């Protein structure tokens, strides 16, 4: 049966529409990991000279512009595929393919990175179990949950989110008590938000690079467009709500943590920075609470976050395969559970192979996963201007010109200043994508995407 939203783009409703606004917010929060600062607090602390909550405020403001662009394109094109679908119709199918190809680098490697992070964390808790065994267990568990259907995934997301929030609440309570009684010389202060002795424009821009990367993941909400109830506006609302809620959680926990290391603007060694949050947890709650934090990080990354990452990646593969941009078998949908089962299994297989091959290689994986998302965000902002101002002749310049231009500049700055390994690996991946695109054109397999009401998207730019 066709969906009114999908039929005008030439698609049938194949996936099951069961997700609500609440489900999407939970999904997005799990993807972004509410306790993400636990594992990177020390490095962000060093990069911001102790002003960690200020860093997350800057990051939230910076990413709002990209979130608004996602909202606008999700309203115009309420279909699965995220930036692949938006650029393919907002610009042209070639741009859509490259945007989808770019973000695939992020989406395919994120589950692998999370499994490796989780295995490393579990090795600190149960050292007798080899890390590869944890990776196999994590992959099997998440694949089973995702194959059971989007309802099972949504239920699991809620359980994982509530568990993370419970740990976070306990940390906040213990931190407030610890600061109030002066643990470690701590005291209430506004210095983590603004330290005049350390603040400078260069610090702001450096913090921007760190903070923007901390918020990556909210974009995955748009991959669930064909499984949400309530219309296309739900995706946009969920994106902005999730981004704002996670920002508040990041700011609160890092403010309290920064107060518990008074007088510091840097950690002396990499080891001290890597273990900063665990040491703070030990200070306020003892060794037992430190172990709880370590387990929360492991489960949050290797199970909860990987679960939604696998779901998002499979929907992107499904969308590109449906348009003939990837092998057709990836568009296969289970007749009962209505999930892209072969795409889910492919993601699981890639994650398992790479995870076993790259055990312990957290730095290498981290350097590669961000390029694809940042590049695709650039294409997204251009798509907003192209679709609304040139194709639809919309004259809301603030929403469809100023916002995407500011978002483009912010993301462009972060991408230019990205790690050299990320840029080299990302450019090689893009070069392969260009070669695949040329092959498609030569063999006559270029996608013909429908804008609406049967009108195909031109391979030419709408502004030409």
């Amino acid at each position: 049966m066709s969906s009114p939203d999908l039929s005008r783009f030439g698609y049938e409703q194949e996936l099951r529409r069961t997700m609500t606004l609440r489900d999407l917010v939970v999904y997005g929060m799990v993807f972004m990991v509410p306790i993400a600062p636990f594992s990177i607090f020390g490095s962000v602390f060093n990069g911001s000279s102790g002003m960690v909550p200020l860093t997350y405020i800057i990051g939230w403001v910076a990413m709002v512009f990209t979130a608004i662009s996602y909202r606008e394109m999700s309203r115009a094109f309420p279909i699965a595929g995220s930036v692949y679908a938006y650029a393919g119709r907002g610009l042209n199918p070639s741009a859509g393919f490259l945007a989808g190809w770019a973000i695939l680098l992020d989406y395919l490697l994120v589950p692998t990175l999370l499994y490796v992070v989780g295995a490393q964390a579990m090795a600190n808790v149960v050292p007798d179990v080899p890390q590869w065994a944890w990776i196999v267990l994590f992959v099997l568990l998440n694949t089973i949950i995702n194959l059971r259907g989007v309802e099972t995934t949504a239920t699991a997301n809620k359980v994982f989110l509530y568990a993370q929030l419970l740990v976070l609440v306990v940390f906040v309570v213990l931190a407030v008590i610890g600061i109030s009684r002066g643990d470690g010389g701590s005291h209430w202060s506004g210095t983590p938000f603004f330290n005049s002795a350390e603040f400078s424009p260069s610090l702001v821009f450096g913090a921007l690079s760190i903070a923007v990367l901390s918020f990556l993941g909210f974009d995955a909400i748009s991959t669930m467009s064909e499984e949400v109830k309530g219309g296309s506006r739900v995706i946009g609302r969920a994106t902005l709500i999730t981004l704002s809620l996670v920002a508040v959680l990041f700011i609160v926990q890092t403010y309290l943590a920064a107060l518990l290391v008074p007088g510091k603007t840097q950690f002396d060694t990499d080891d001290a920075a890597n273990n900063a949050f665990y040491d703070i947890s030990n200070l306020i709650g003892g060794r037992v609470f430190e172990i709880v934090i370590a387990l929360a990080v492991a489960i949050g990354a290797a199970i909860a976050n990987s679960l939604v990452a696998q779901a998002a990646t499979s929907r992107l593969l499904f969308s590109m395969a449906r348009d003939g941009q990837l092998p057709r078998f990836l568009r296969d949908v289970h007749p009962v559970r209505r999930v892209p089962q072969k795409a889910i299994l492919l993601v699981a297989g890639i994650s398992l192979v790479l995870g076993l091959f790259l055990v312990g290689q957290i730095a290498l994986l981290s350097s590669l996963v961000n390029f694809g998302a940042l590049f695709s965000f650039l294409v997204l902002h251009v798509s907003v201007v192209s679709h609304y101002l040139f194709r639809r002749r919309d004259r809301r310049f603030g929403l469809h010109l100023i916002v995407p231009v500011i978002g483009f500049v912010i993301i462009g700055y972060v991408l230019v200043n990205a790690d050299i390994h990320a840029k080299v690996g990302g450019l090689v991946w893009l070069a392969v994508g260009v070669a695949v695109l040329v092959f498609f054109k030569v063999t006559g397999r270029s996608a013909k995407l429908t804008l609406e009401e049967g009108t195909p998207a031109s391979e030419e730019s709408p502004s030409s």
Side-chain angles (χ1 to χ4, degrees):
M1 180 178 178
S2 295
S3 163
D5 275 341
L6 293 182
S7 59
R8 62 191 176 101
F9 298 106
Y11 299 132
E12 294 290 321
Q13 180 67 49
E14 298 180 80
L15 306 179
R16 181 173 293 164
R17 289 190 181 274
T18 60
M19 299 190 78
T20 63
L21 174 63
R22 181 181 179 184
D23 291 331
L24 286 176
V25 171
V26 170
Y27 175 89
M29 291 184 71
V30 171
F31 204 122
M32 295 177 70
V33 189
I35 59 173
F38 284 10
S39 58
I40 61 173
F41 174 79
S43 59
V44 180
F45 187 94
N46 285 350
S48 61
S49 295
M51 291 176 280
V52 187
L54 175 64
T55 298
Y56 283 110
I57 292 173
I58 293 171
W60 173 73
V61 172
M63 294 312 294
V64 160
F65 295 100
T66 298
I68 291 173
S69 287
Y70 262 101
R71 182 192 68 184
E72 293 305 296
M73 294 306 282
S74 69
R75 290 177 176 178
F77 306 111
I79 52 183
S82 186
V83 70
Y84 157 72
Y86 303 154
R89 289 166 174 82
L91 285 168
N92 58 58
S94 295
F97 174 82
L98 287 178
W101 182 265
I103 207 167
L104 266 179
L105 178 64
D106 180 15
Y107 280 15
L108 287 174
L109 289 180
V110 160
T112 302
L113 172 61
L114 296 170
Y115 291 134
V116 171
V117 168
Q120 182 72 52
M122 290 304 297
N124 293 324
V125 178
V126 191
D128 292 337
V129 178
Q131 293 186 39
W132 65 263
W134 289 113
I135 291 175
V136 172
L137 176 63
F138 294 147
V139 171
L140 286 175
L141 177 61
N142 283 345
T143 301
I144 291 171
I145 294 174
N146 270 314
L147 285 174
R148 288 184 61 83
V150 70
E151 300 98 329
T152 303
T153 303
T155 300
N157 286 339
K158 292 174 184 175
V159 172
F160 291 134
L161 177 62
Y162 297 154
Q164 290 183 58
L165 292 179
L166 177 61
V167 173
L168 185 54
V169 167
V170 173
F171 169 78
V172 169
V173 171
L174 291 178
V176 169
I177 294 173
I179 296 167
S180 299
R181 68 190 179 198
D183 287 355
S186 59
H187 59 275
W188 295 103
S189 167
T191 302
F193 284 106
F194 184 78
N195 184 348
S196 59
E198 298 291 334
F199 185 84
S200 68
S202 61
L203 180 72
V204 172
F205 286 113
L208 178 62
S209 297
I210 300 170
V212 165
L213 299 180
S214 299
F215 284 98
L216 293 183
F218 71 90
D219 52 290
I221 292 174
S222 62
T223 64
M224 311 303 289
S225 290
E226 294 180 31
E227 292 161 272
V228 64
K229 298 187 294 184
S232 59
R233 291 183 176 272
V234 175
I235 292 290
R237 288 201 297 270
T239 300
L240 287 170
I241 290 171
T242 301
L243 185 64
S244 299
L245 285 176
V246 170
V248 170
L249 296 178
F250 285 179
I251 292 165
V252 169
Q253 64 192 276
T254 56
Y255 171 63
L256 295 173
L259 291 177
L260 287 161
V261 283
K264 280 184 175 290
T265 57
Q266 297 284 320
F267 290 103
D268 297 332
T269 65
D270 289 342
D271 186 60
N274 291 337
N275 292 313
F277 213 99
Y278 301 117
D279 292 340
I280 291 169
S281 301
N282 193 312
L283 174 68
I284 61 175
R287 174 59 179 164
V288 172
F289 189 57
E290 181 184 353
I291 293 175
V292 169
I293 293 294
L295 287 172
V297 170
I299 295 172
I303 300 180
N305 198 353
S306 298
L307 176 69
V308 293
Q310 185 184 44
T313 308
S314 67
R315 270 60 175 185
L316 177 59
L317 293 173
F318 162 79
S319 181
M320 295 182 73
R322 181 173 60 182
D323 293 329
Q325 301 295 281
L326 290 176
R328 289 284 183 178
F329 77 89
L330 292 172
R331 65 165 296 171
D332 183 65
V333 174
H334 192 280
V336 177
R337 299 189 179 96
R338 315 307 298 173
V339 294
Q341 55 183 358
K342 291 183 179 177
I344 291 173
L345 290 172
L346 178 64
V347 177
I350 292 173
S351 299
L352 181 60
V353 172
L354 291 179
L356 295 176
F357 182 72
L358 295 171
V359 169
Q361 300 296 314
I362 296 175
L364 174 62
L365 285 166
S366 298
S367 69
L368 293 173
V369 298
N370 298 317
F371 182 94
L374 294 174
F375 179 85
S376 66
F377 289 171
L378 291 179
V379 181
L380 170 74
H381 289 302
V382 176
S383 301
V384 172
V385 176
S386 171
H387 177 69
Y388 281 100
L389 294 189
F390 291 99
R391 180 176 288 126
R392 293 183 55 174
R393 307 295 179 184
D394 187 290
R395 289 298 176 262
R396 288 181 289 176
F397 292 107
L399 194 58
H400 298 140
L401 179 61
I402 295 176
V403 166
V405 166
I406 294 175
F408 185 95
V409 170
I410 292 171
I411 298 302
Y413 171 83
V414 176
L415 188 58
V416 167
N417 290 279
D419 181 86
I420 185 63
H421 296 97
K423 288 189 281 191
V424 171
L427 289 174
V428 169
W429 178 259
L430 277 182
V432 174
V434 170
V436 173
L437 183 61
V438 170
F439 173 77
F440 282 168
K441 286 183 175 293
V442 170
T443 57
R445 291 178 57 190
S446 297
K448 297 292 187 282
L449 304 182
T450 301
L451 288 175
E452 56 185 348
E453 305 302 338
T455 304
S458 171
E459 277 289 330
E460 301 297 326
S461 170
S463 59
S464 61

